[in-house]
Amino acid sequence: MYMLVVQYLVSTQKKKKMRKVSVIMPAYNAERWIARAILSLQHQTIKDWELCIVDDASTDNTIQVIENFMREDNRIKLECNETNLGCGLTRRRAISMARGEYVAFLDSDDTFYPTFLEKMLEAMNRTLADIAVCGVKEYEEGEYKRSILCDETYCTSKKELYYQYMNGTWITQYNCNKMFKKEIIDKHEYSDMRFCEDSYTTYKWLWEAENVVVIPDRLFNYYQHANSNSTTKNSPLQKSYDTCRCVWEHFQFCKQQSFEDMLPRLAMFVYEHLVRCINGFDIETEEYKLIDKYRNEFLKHLKLC
């Protein structure tokens, strides 16, 4: 009887500690922006969240900025990579820290609108959705560029959702304008790639969902700048290699699901990309050999179309 009481108390204590939403944040040399990102979370109309940050071996004062926030806010958790592992493995580690019922993603240079958590949770609860998607405002070097949004709230089928996702409409392929039930996140491990890791993983989570709700509110601000992972030119080979891996998997998925009308567009996208960059590769590397295999497969498919 005593042991049962202890187990009950431990279980109750765990439930009390569980936050409603776990927010995942990788950070690398982000001292210029990360305070703005964290403040956008602290200013949310819903306070029941935890922030899971993993620093990817920053060489600036990123960790000190985070620790300053941690002194005043026990909802913020920090772990640090000993060496730089890239976005994929860093987000994967941050996800392993998550104890919330829901998961959202916030990069260290982006921001949430104050009602992001509230409106996403409300939409998911009202429609019994596994995933919510919101509109986005995009900025480049601090200058507003465009908005991505739909006209009204709607739910849709898996196939239609995937078409919208692959065609680059308001579903978008990055994960930061979405909220997921944790049980959906747990079904697929986050990609280990340095580039395209969100595209490589997010579509798998979308396909696991029974119901996805899309809302028109622009609740997420996406900032691009010279030091963004998505715009860096430090490793063109790695970027091309990861892009090909990602689209190759999308291509195979479309074939398995009989989405035949999407295949020519995917094949052309990758083939054109490879034609632009293949000349700069060392033909003896494993990366080149794999990319050359992809190129030949895509060319074969294009000839059949």
Side-chain angles (χ1 to χ4, degrees), residues 160-262:
E160 179 58 31
L161 184 80
Y162 191 76
Y163 270 66
Q164 294 175 15
Y165 174 79
M166 289 307 302
N167 285 325
T169 59
W170 44 79
I171 299 300
T172 71
Q173 295 193 13
Y174 38 72
N175 47 41
C176 291
N177 69 325
K178 301 173 179 67
M179 182 179 287
F180 305 82
K181 283 186 177 177
K182 181 62 160 53
E183 60 198 60
I184 295 292
I185 293 285
D186 289 340
K187 290 184 178 181
H188 294 281
E189 190 171 47
Y190 201 81
S191 168
D192 62 353
M193 296 193 300
R194 284 182 174 266
F195 301 96
C196 298
E197 80 294 337
D198 48 358
S199 298
Y200 196 88
T201 310
T202 304
Y203 87 90
K204 298 176 185 177
W205 292 335
L206 288 169
W207 199 249
E208 291 290 349
E210 292 299 323
N211 192 16
V212 177
V213 60
V214 183
I215 63 177
D217 306 66
R218 292 172 294 184
L219 303 174
F220 172 68
N221 294 315
Y222 174 70
Y223 294 90
Q224 275 196 315
H225 48 81
N227 294 324
S228 297
N229 181 57
S230 59
T231 58
T232 183
K233 297 179 176 58
N234 292 334
S235 181
L237 172 60
Q238 184 71 55
K239 195 168 186 177
S240 296
Y241 176 59
D242 287 351
T243 299
C244 291
R245 281 178 61 196
C246 177
V247 183
W248 175 255
E249 179 151 325
H250 285 160
F251 187 80
Q252 297 300 321
F253 176 82
C254 288
K255 288 175 68 174
Q256 292 166 9
Q257 300 300 332
S258 299
F259 295 169
E260 298 296 335
D261 52 332
M262 296 192 68

Side-chain angles (χ1 to χ4, degrees), residues 260-277:
E260 298 296 335
D261 52 332
M262 296 192 68
L263 296 177
R265 190 182 69 82
L266 277 171
M268 181 59 74
F269 168 80
V270 178
Y271 186 69
E272 289 177 349
H273 173 76
L274 294 176
V275 167
R276 288 195 303 270
C277 67

Side-chain angles (χ1 to χ4, degrees), residues 2 18 76 83 86 91 94 98 111 120 184 255 258:
Y2 172 77
M18 179 179 284
I76 301 173
T83 59
R91 279 203 184 97
T111 60
M120 297 288 263
I184 295 292
K255 288 175 68 174
S258 299

